[in-house]
Amino acid sequence: MSAGRRLTAASAADVVVPLVLAALGVLGFATAFGGWGYLLAGLGGLAVGAGAGLLGRRLPLLPAVLVGVLAYFAFGSALAMPDAALWLVVPTPETLAGLVLGAVWGWADLVTLRAPVEAPAYLTVVPYVAGWLVGLVTALLATRWLPGRSTAPRRALLLVGPVLLLLAAVLVGTQDSVHGALRGTLFAAVALVWLGWRRRDPSAPDAATDAAGSRRLARSRLTGGVVLVTGAIVAGALAATALVPAQPDRVVVRDEVVPPFDPLEFASPLAGFRAYTKDLAETPLFTVDGLREGESVRLASLDSYDGRLWNAAGPEDTAGVGGFALVGSELPEPALGTFAADAHEVQVEIGAYDDSWLPAVAAPGLVVLEGAIADRTEDLRYDPASATAVLIGGVDEGDRYRLTVRSPVLPDDEELVDVPVASVPLPPVESVPDVLVARADQYVGDEVSPIDQLRAIETGLRTEGFLSHGLASDAVASRAGHGADRMVDLFTRSQMVGDEEQYASAMALMARQLGYPARVVMGFAPEVGSDAASIEVTGADVTAWVEVPFDGIGWVPFFPTPDDTDVPQEQTPGPPLSRSRRCGSPRAPRSGTRTC
């Protein structure tokens, strides 16, 4: 086509129809993104690309492409990253960098992060750059290459971009579909009608040159195309109903990609338990505002045991069932659990605490990083299944953040008697000592229901054991650690002596041997009064407990650590404990009511 060729109605139609089809493809990104930002970015990208292509149709090819690139950066800030743009529309260095990063790395991030994705901010550049590229190429082909030599195969090439966009939205999305069958049917119908209408008929030259004949030919083409498409849709629908399963599996890339974040790269917080009780007992670790009576601060949920340490399960053990992911400020709610209707805000300001495991409360629904870490949302990883958050790089003194939380609602034990333990896939535990298994059988005795068996183990440990952090002021020495050798030592010495690290580990392993998916939770249990506004948490507040999930209820906590610190010099085994002596208030506060 010459540089001065004008835009004809046919060329305009060749641009508009593929753009409409591409818009159907953009809708498919809905499952990967939260909110409507992706739609503005995708549709805006189509408009920007097509507009640049039409403006540059009179220019040589390279300057025309340059116009498209300039338009990409000029409008990208407002369409793809408005929150980071000046006055929502003016590009800034952050948005310009995001437009480059999103175009290059956004696709990889999109398939490795948990959907719906909300961060990093440049992820919305993915639908924007896809729409922009399809719009630009379509406009340039329709106005520069197709006129004068339009044939059916050449026109069909204009559908390549919309088809690729449709497939890309499916591949980076999830197993859910946004009216996939309807969008696919509309795509096919519009494409077939357009191709039929634009088909040249070389056997009717007179009709092509005669105005009346041209109109009759156009109506004939349109009618024939509609009839053809209608028949194809009906036949396809009948065939799909008979041959396609009700819920076919979709091929999505994110299901085949292992998330790059691995919590095993971080030291298990339970391994450093004694550092809090020995070296940081009086040191202010962080300050919490808004903590309610009965609530504890969670640090990490640990569900993997290799005979040496309890750890958070790695990506190979959580593939398809959870795991840590970059989620943005809005955190997904756990699939298991019942929570209070009213949410409240908790504010945390870091003191001497400097680890990567982020102190949190209950199951937070929103986390807002403030101050020096306000721009580190991309470092935040969260696992909703374990309600555990990690800030890569850790925190420093003065860092602060806000949480919006809802406390779990737990029933009395009487209501749990007939409730089975929930089926939650956890990695298997390894190297469990035989003495621990035998003691679990001894504690359980004739108890039948899961809640009674677990309470029996909890009470057996609390009543037979003694508490010691291994401090110089303790009555007897207590070795740190929770590996298999420490578990053997706990049950073979004349007195059972240890602290939350050992007792929580022992109960969790006992529960796992009974077939219950137990996990160890490490956190802090400061004293919370009814009118407490600001609480200073120190190392002395560190604690650990056990959680086991119940069907329709959620994770129920157990506190097996004894309160008694007066270890006798000699301990004579007594008769088995009666049911009435298996009661005791837990050291750490928890939501819900316990009844023995």
Side-chain angles (χ1 to χ4, degrees), residues 208-356:
T209 57
D210 179 75
S214 179
R215 289 193 294 271
R216 288 194 300 270
L217 182 59
R219 287 195 298 268
S220 175
R221 292 174 180 171
L222 182 60
T223 303
V226 170
V227 171
L228 176 64
V229 170
T230 302
I233 292 174
V234 172
L238 292 176
T241 303
L243 302 176
V244 179
Q247 293 182 343
D249 290 334
R250 292 159 58 89
V251 179
V252 295
V253 176
R254 68 178 60 251
D255 290 345
E256 308 299 328
V257 177
V258 177
F261 177 78
D262 188 353
L264 297 180
E265 296 178 359
F266 297 85
S268 169
L270 195 62
F273 191 91
R274 288 290 174 92
Y276 290 103
T277 59
K278 285 187 174 183
D279 304 328
L280 302 170
E282 304 299 326
T283 303
L285 301 176
F286 51 88
T287 302
V288 183
D289 290 321
L291 194 66
R292 293 182 176 179
E293 190 173 5
E295 290 181 333
S296 300
V297 178
R298 301 174 68 93
L299 197 59
S301 296
L302 312 172
D303 45 23
S304 171
Y305 184 77
D306 60 2
R308 298 181 301 107
L309 295 170
W310 279 97
N311 257 310
E316 68 280 357
D317 294 318
T318 57
V321 295
F324 289 85
L326 195 159
V327 291
S329 58
E330 292 188 14
L331 306 182
E333 185 173 294
L336 183 65
T338 304
F339 301 93
D342 65 314
H344 63 285
E345 187 175 277
V346 175
Q347 297 181 348
V348 180
E349 183 170 348
I350 301 298
Y353 180 79
D354 60 355
D355 207 345
S356 295

Side-chain angles (χ1 to χ4, degrees), residues 261 263 266 299-300 312 324-325 355-359 376-383 388-394:
F261 177 78
F266 297 85
L299 197 59
F324 289 85
D355 207 345
S356 295
W357 304 93
L358 205 62
R376 291 180 57 192
T377 304
E378 299 175 15
D379 294 334
L380 180 65
R381 301 293 187 275
Y382 182 70
D383 178 17
T388 301
V390 173
L391 189 67
I392 299 175

